[in-house]
Amino acid sequence: MDQVRRELGDCRRCKLCTGRKNIVFGSGNPRADLVFVGEGPGENEDIQGVPFVGAAGDLLTKMIGAMGFTRNDVYIANVVKCRPPGNRNPEPDEIAACEPFLRSQLLAIQPKVIVALGKFAAQTLLRDTTPITRMRGQWREYEGIQLMPTFHPAYLLRNSAEKRKAWEDLQQVMKLFGKHPGS
Ligand code: URA
């Protein structure tokens, strides 16, 4: 993982480098069995250089806890490592520039399971344009690693009625780890 970070360097491979404060490389256990992949840094993440530390991050931290893990047990990364201006969606050229590094991270970690949070993570990793509403909850594979697509926590903050579906998806992941809700 250190080598991947060195290769990334002070990245200037796409235009997001011009507005960023920090590269948000990823955080957690580089030997994790479970990896979460989000979309890209927001304002708080850009300031701190750490993924998922804002409101969506608080919910993700709760989701990880409810699954019986801590943030230190898992690894958290994003499709793009620099904040898109005004939190706009990452653009295809930005995703294309950044994806090789995410891929190297995932191959270095070799987790048992990847949870793809939201459309950008699921569609990028799987090269599948199916809407997340249809992809979620179905086991997929990424380079021989089991991948579960589910809703992004920021979406869940806006649509709390969907939390139940995301929890069903995460319970499938827990089952694979032999974990049970509430234990
Ligand atoms: N949303 C994301 O997709 N990633 C973060 O790191 C924070 C918010």
Side-chain angles (χ1 to χ4, degrees):
M1 189 63 80
D2 292 345
Q3 193 189 324
V4 182
R5 183 64 192 88
R6 277 195 299 277
E7 274 166 29
L8 182 68
D10 182 31
C11 186
R12 309 253 145 220
R13 292 170 183 82
C14 88
K15 58 189 177 298
L16 294 182
C17 70
T18 59
R20 72 164 181 244
K21 290 191 172 67
N22 285 294
I23 292 177
V24 180
F25 181 69
S27 75
N29 179 359
R31 297 176 188 279
D33 284 332
L34 177 58
V35 174
F36 292 83
V37 178
E39 177 180 324
E43 187 180 13
N44 295 291
E45 291 78 17
D46 182 42
I47 291 168
Q48 296 185 40
V50 180
F52 282 100
V53 290
D58 288 346
L59 178 55
L60 178 61
T61 304
K62 281 189 196 141
M63 289 157 66
I64 291 169
M67 293 174 76
F69 295 96
T70 69
R71 280 179 70 117
N72 292 329
D73 295 327
V74 305
Y75 195 85
I76 305 174
N78 280 307
V79 170
V80 295
K81 300 193 187 315
C82 298
R83 183 192 182 197
N87 297 348
R88 66 156 168 74
N89 291 336
E91 292 175 356
D93 60 314
E94 297 157 358
I95 293 173
C98 217
E99 190 195 354
F101 294 93
L102 174 61
R103 181 186 174 78
S104 297
Q105 285 173 293
L106 294 171
L107 297 184
I109 299 169
Q110 286 287 337
K112 235 196 234 180
V113 177
I114 298 167
V115 175
L117 298 166
K119 140 184 167 161
F120 285 94
Q123 293 188 345
T124 300
L125 292 173
L126 297 171
R127 301 195 184 286
D128 182 338
T129 57
T130 304
I132 188 68
T133 45
R134 294 215 341 255
M135 266 199 278
R136 62 148 281 273
Q138 311 284 333
W139 281 112
R140 303 285 296 264
E141 237 183 64
Y142 175 82
E143 301 291 347
I145 303 164
Q146 301 261 66
L147 184 148
M148 175 57 70
T150 193
F151 290 128
H152 191 286
Y155 171 81
L156 296 174
L157 287 175
R158 297 190 304 268
N159 301 275
S160 58
E162 301 284 57
K163 282 184 182 169
R164 192 180 43 80
K165 290 181 194 161
W167 182 231
E168 281 169 16
D169 305 343
L170 297 180
Q171 281 180 291
Q172 292 200 61
V173 174
M174 289 165 65
K175 219 185 232 176
L176 212 127
F177 284 100
K179 291 195 183 257
H180 305 282
S183 67

